[in-house]
Amino acid sequence: MRCIGLLGGMSWESSIEYERMINEGVRARLGGTHSADLVIRSYDFAAIEALQAADRWDDAGALLAADARRLQDAGAELIVLCTNTMHVCAPAIEAAIDVPFLHLADATARAVVDAGVRTVALLGTRYTMEHDFYRGRLAAHGLDVVVPDEPDRTTVHDVIYDELVRGIVRDGSRDRYLEVIERLISNGAEGVIAGCTEIELLVGGDDVRVPWFPTTRLHAAAAVEAALAP
């Protein structure tokens, strides 16, 4: 089993789900008392969020890259970044390490393509929905990516930062998300990507009438597969 390095805490509400899913996946594959071999760097999310708000992506990239290298030095044989938004820093991380970096958008795109979906809606933070670092990566896999129009885009973003990263899960916010999703489906979306790890705390596949792609679960499963591959 390869040791997985996790860059988490962005927010811990979702990255703790990464740990749980990865450990459960290893136990399911190997049985007995097996669990994942992990080294973890978990941040104070307020510090990361301040860098996001100030548009200091280079500083954030330098921070994550340095800590990814520290995880490698601590024994990690592959690196997993437990957040969609901060994949804007993926190039800096990849340049800093000599072990594989498991890109979340690639794991997600493979699941979308395997499901036979070509036009997919992307929900996430404003950064993820509006910037090309994530949408472009999905498009490189042959996908047509659509995002909510305003004011739905602001609704999706604000629920993440004002509620979900703070551990607040409200039925009313779930209803608002489902309304946004219905509008996206009406506009041609054949499936929906939960492109922020916290969204999975609010909406599940049973809530949506088209294929649902939960990025945390997909990324965690890919990490297990990579850790246990021959």
Side-chain angles (χ1 to χ4, degrees), residues 44-213:
D44 172 6
F45 184 53
I48 301 296
E49 197 233 351
L51 294 175
Q52 294 174 342
D55 208 28
R56 293 171 56 189
W57 299 105
D58 288 344
D59 291 339
L63 174 64
L64 268 62
D67 283 334
R69 184 71 193 194
R70 291 188 184 99
L71 290 177
Q72 177 182 311
D73 292 343
E77 297 167 273
L78 63 114
I79 301 296
V80 172
L81 177 58
C82 305
T83 160
N84 286 268
T85 295
M86 297 311 293
H87 272 70
V88 69
C89 302
I93 295 170
E94 290 177 301
I97 59 177
D98 303 314
V99 297
F101 176 78
L102 199 62
H103 201 290
L104 194 157
D106 290 340
T108 301
R110 284 192 292 271
V112 177
V113 171
D114 288 347
V117 170
R118 286 298 177 269
T119 301
V120 65
L122 174 63
L123 302 180
T125 66
R126 183 177 300 282
Y127 315 111
T128 299
M129 292 187 289
E130 294 180 351
H131 295 190
D132 190 57
F133 73 92
Y134 200 92
R135 295 171 61 175
R137 190 92 176 198
L138 295 171
H141 288 265
L143 300 174
D144 294 323
V145 183
V146 297
V147 298
D149 295 325
E150 291 291 6
D152 287 348
R153 201 179 306 166
T154 294
T155 295
V156 172
H157 178 89
D158 286 351
V159 167
I160 292 168
Y161 278 91
D162 295 343
E163 300 175 24
L164 299 179
V165 301
R166 303 166 189 253
I168 301 168
V169 179
R170 292 180 172 144
D171 291 340
S173 296
R174 180 180 298 107
D175 292 340
R176 292 163 69 196
Y177 260 56
L178 295 178
E179 290 169 2
V180 171
I181 289 168
E182 280 300 317
R183 281 189 280 275
L184 289 164
I185 294 171
S186 297
N187 289 332
E190 302 165 348
V192 181
I193 294 172
C196 177
T197 49
E198 285 83 12
I199 291 175
E200 293 167 58
L201 305 174
L202 184 67
V203 178
D206 292 341
D207 299 317
V208 182
R209 62 184 176 90
V210 296
W212 175 250
F213 301 99

